[in-house]
């Protein structure tokens, strides 16, 4: 079983990489963060909270995902 600290580090690393990847396609999710309570759970995997975004950001995210198909 992974410790809370290890899970938090892993989630933070993925969060930073996701933020960088999104920035590369001009998408900013200002509320993107690690869900801290999920890192303390002994059973569940850590979660990222992608948060809220405006419609223009959602459209850019849709376009970026469509390009990857």
């Amino acid at each position: 079983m992974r410790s809370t600290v290890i899970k938090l580090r892993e989630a933070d690393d993925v969060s930073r990489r996701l933020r960088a990847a999104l920035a590369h396609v001009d998408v900013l999710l200002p509320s993107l963060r690690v869900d801290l309570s999920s890192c303390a759970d002994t059973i569940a995997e850590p979660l990222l909270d992608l948060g809220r975004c405006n419609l223009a950001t959602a459209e850019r995210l849709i376009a970026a995902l469509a390009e990857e198909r």
Side-chain angles (χ1 to χ4, degrees):
M1 178 170 36
R2 295 188 332 262
S3 74
T4 299
V5 173
I6 291 171
K7 290 167 104 175
L8 183 56
R9 284 183 185 149
E10 290 173 349
D12 186 55
D13 177 58
V14 172
S15 175
R16 283 187 278 121
R17 291 185 307 148
L18 178 58
R19 188 177 299 280
L22 289 169
H24 185 70
V25 294
D26 196 30
V27 173
L28 172 65
L29 297 178
S31 300
L32 175 66
R33 66 179 182 83
V34 174
D35 178 7
L36 297 176
S37 62
S38 70
C39 293
D41 193 315
T42 57
I43 298 172
E45 289 295 313
L47 299 173
L48 296 181
D49 184 350
L50 301 181
R52 303 179 328 173
C53 67
N54 62 36
L55 298 180
T57 300
E59 291 290 349
R60 285 193 301 278
L61 185 53
I62 290 166
L65 292 171
E67 289 177 10
E68 292 298 318
R69 291 185 194 180

